Amino acid sequence: MTSFRWRPEARAGHARAGWLDTAHGSVPTPTFMPVGTVGTVKAMTMDNVRSTGAGIVLGNTYHLMLRPGAERVRELGGLHRFMDWPGPILTDSGGFQVMSLGPLRKLDADGVTFRSHIDGSKHRLSPERSTDIQHALDATISMCFDECPALPAEADVIAKSMRLSMRWAERCRDAFVQRPGYAQYGIIQGGTEPELRAESVKALTGIGFEGYAIGGLAVGEGQELMFSTLDVTVPLIPDASPRYLMGVGTPDDLLGAVERGVDMFDCVMPTRAGRTARAYTERGTLNLRNARHATDSRPISPHCDCLACSRHSRAYLHHLFRANEILGPMLLTWHNLAYYQRLMRGMRAAIVDGGFTAHATHLRAQWALDDWSGDEMPFPDIPPVA
């Protein structure tokens, strides 16, 4: 069976292109993982997701343990079969979701006791339980159970939280069942404090994981501080290991993180935006609810071959959202995920071809325009249905 590893292919400064080999297939990096929190990417079939070029998706321990239950998923053949995704799946540990419950959870040195946001029932997650659930789901990549404090926070609060997460990481590693092609990632914490980030990396690399994630960012600190934290953190991660920035982000966030050597990303932004009528394009975002789109016969983007762009106009999408038709969120989610995958493919190709710096400059110049209105973009001819 295939061993889990990250294989380098090309570099451009700190930016890296490579391959992530897993038990469930190989994925080109840098890569963006659509978020399938409860075993589905919202408003998409998995065939739709595959059509965008996605190679790996994300599920969530907290949500799947509550409904339908990890043991049930295991009895039904595991998460890959359950959600019709034979490719790699990464499962978040549930730590972020549990910590977000506020008064519904109680933290102690051994784990977290909490009440379900669904029905108020009482549950407990520990490093061992989170790891066991991810094993039951048959996650290709499991994440360590950690605590993620909201920022800003005092340095001593961040330090205490990070050190607790490092103790939990060691317990997660002890509980992880190692198999060829499977992996467990340690999560680097420490807020925006360089010394704490360095301490966290040292602790995790001392334990030893197949990959390393950068957690605790995109939680209110702002892009500039996020990038400066990446500047001091990413170089400390072993070069041969995949690097995953959790919960990020906007297209500009992805570009900046790739420039700093990050390989993997996930974020709800493209799917959430699709459900609220916002479309990502090469020139910023469009709000399809705006009245100016009501008579616009152009596609969202002439550079996109998704169903929303190849078969429908902005006017039609505007109509769907104004009429509260479910097809609107479905088409726009498809478009946004296709755009994110195209963005990642373009960055990867530029790294391999040696033109990454020019490509990054071009992307930023186009986003700065934030306007399609000056372009002559006729609606493409619609081929007849066979």
Side-chain angles (χ1 to χ4, degrees), residues 126-182:
S126 65
E128 293 80 10
R129 177 60 178 149
S130 173
T131 303
D132 290 346
I133 290 171
Q134 293 177 80
H135 181 76
L137 296 172
D138 194 32
T140 315
I141 302 173
S142 299
M143 301 302 299
C144 284
F145 188 60
D146 65 338
E147 185 190 16
C148 179
L151 298 180
E154 296 295 328
D156 60 337
V157 173
I158 296 172
K160 181 179 179 182
S161 172
M162 180 273 290
R163 288 165 187 151
L164 175 63
S165 292
M166 297 307 98
R167 293 192 294 272
W168 285 359
E170 191 164 6
R171 291 166 55 187
C172 287
R173 194 58 177 171
D174 289 342
F176 179 67
V177 179
Q178 298 195 34
R179 295 145 288 162
Y182 287 77

Side-chain angles (χ1 to χ4, degrees), residues 226-342:
M226 178 178 73
F227 283 165
S228 65
T229 303
L230 292 178
D231 286 335
V232 300
T233 304
V234 175
L236 302 175
I237 301 173
D239 185 72
S241 301
R243 303 157 173 174
Y244 165 32
L245 179 56
M246 304 180 73
V248 175
T250 66
D252 190 43
D253 290 337
L254 300 184
L255 176 58
V258 167
E259 287 176 320
R260 290 162 172 81
V262 176
D263 308 304
M264 302 174 66
F265 304 87
D266 81 281
C267 191
V268 298
M269 281 187 176
T271 49
R272 183 173 291 168
R275 299 194 301 276
T276 56
R278 288 180 295 127
Y280 286 98
T281 78
E282 292 80 2
R283 292 195 177 180
T285 58
L286 294 174
N287 185 342
L288 272 301
R289 285 189 179 275
N290 287 349
R292 66 190 177 98
H293 301 299
T295 59
D296 195 333
S297 64
R298 297 174 298 174
I300 299 170
S301 168
H303 308 297
C304 184
D305 61 359
C306 77
L307 188 63
C309 291
S310 63
R311 303 297 293 270
H312 300 296
S313 66
R314 297 183 194 183
Y316 182 62
L317 291 161
H318 170 82
H319 158 69
L320 292 177
F321 278 97
R322 298 288 289 185
N324 293 320
E325 285 290 337
I326 189 113
L327 183 58
M330 292 170 65
L331 287 171
L332 210 50
T333 298
W334 194 335
H335 167 80
N336 285 341
L337 288 177
Y339 171 72
Y340 266 59
Q341 294 301 330
R342 192 165 64 253

